[in-house]
Amino acid sequence: MVRSESASTLTVFRQHDVPEEVLALSPLADPDYVDLFTIATGDAAPGSPEQWARAAFEDVAGLKGQFIWRVLLGLRLERRTSPTCVAGWKIAERGDRWLRLEARSWMLTGHLVIIVGDEEVSLGTFLRYDRPMARRVWTPLSAVHRHEAPGLLREAYEVRQAGAR
C-alpha cells in the first residue's frame, strides 16, 4: 500500500528510555552515548533494514553525512559502496528486522542500528569514547545529530516510498 500522506506529516519521536532489546543489538559494553529515534509509518514500513539504511545514509545523508563521519569524527569508512557496507560503514550483523553498522576512528567507536517494525522504523546510535577528545567533539555534534535525525528518517521514508511505486 502506498501512502498518499507526505513524510513531513509522519511522527518521529526520540525514545529517552531505550528498550533492553534494542540495547542488546550493539555489543558496546556500557556505551557513552545512546539514542533511539522512531518514525511511525503506519503502513508496514516497506523495505528491509538494509534498504532503509541505504536510503538514510547513502541517499539522504550523502556528502553532508560523509563530511561529519569522515572529517569531524575521523571515522575510517570504506571508500566504495559494496554489499558489505552502507555509506562506508561496515555491515557488522543483521537479523530479519534489524541491521547494525560499525565504524571506528582514533577517538571513538560507533554503531548505527536500523530496526524495521510493522508500522515503524527506528534508528539507534551507540558511541563509545575511546579517547577523552571524543566527548569534546561529540557533545556539540550530538545536538546537530538529534536535530537532524527526524528529518533523516522522514526523507528516508520518502526515498523508500518512491522506490515502492
Side-chain angles (χ1 to χ4, degrees), residues 1-17:
M1 175 174 150
V2 176
R3 290 180 68 89
S4 57
E5 183 173 16
S6 114
S8 64
T9 63
L10 295 176
T11 302
V12 177
F13 57 94
R14 180 177 177 202
Q15 293 182 250
H16 293 281
D17 295 321

Side-chain angles (χ1 to χ4, degrees), residues 21-63:
E21 60 269 17
V22 173
L23 292 172
L25 296 177
S26 172
L28 291 178
D30 195 27
D32 295 294
Y33 178 90
V34 176
D35 69 26
L36 182 66
F37 287 87
T38 300
I39 184 169
T41 64
D43 67 352
S48 70
E50 183 175 341
Q51 290 170 322
W52 273 91
R54 290 190 187 284
F57 305 127
E58 292 175 357
D59 299 334
V60 178
L63 291 176

Side-chain angles (χ1 to χ4, degrees), residues 50 53 135 142:
E50 183 175 341
R135 182 178 309 280
S142 69

Side-chain angles (χ1 to χ4, degrees), residues 31-131:
D32 295 294
Y33 178 90
V34 176
D35 69 26
L36 182 66
F37 287 87
T38 300
I39 184 169
T41 64
D43 67 352
S48 70
E50 183 175 341
Q51 290 170 322
W52 273 91
R54 290 190 187 284
F57 305 127
E58 292 175 357
D59 299 334
V60 178
L63 291 176
K64 182 178 179 182
Q66 291 294 316
F67 177 78
I68 291 168
W69 301 325
R70 291 177 189 273
V71 177
L72 300 180
L73 295 175
L75 293 172
R76 295 183 295 270
L77 303 176
E78 295 293 323
R79 294 275 178 218
R80 300 176 195 261
T81 299
S82 76
T84 62
C85 67
V86 172
W89 291 73
K90 177 186 172 199
I91 298 174
E93 195 172 354
R94 67 175 81 219
D96 290 339
R97 297 246 182 185
W98 62 274
L99 174 79
R100 186 180 74 248
L101 305 174
E102 293 182 353
R104 289 178 171 233
S105 76
W106 64 273
M107 65 178 160
L108 61 80
T109 301
H111 292 175
L112 298 174
V113 176
I114 296 284
I115 305 160
V116 178
D118 290 336
E119 296 186 354
E120 74 279 332
V121 175
S122 297
L123 165 61
T125 303
F126 301 82
L127 297 177
R128 181 185 66 219
Y129 304 149
D130 298 326
R131 303 263 189 299

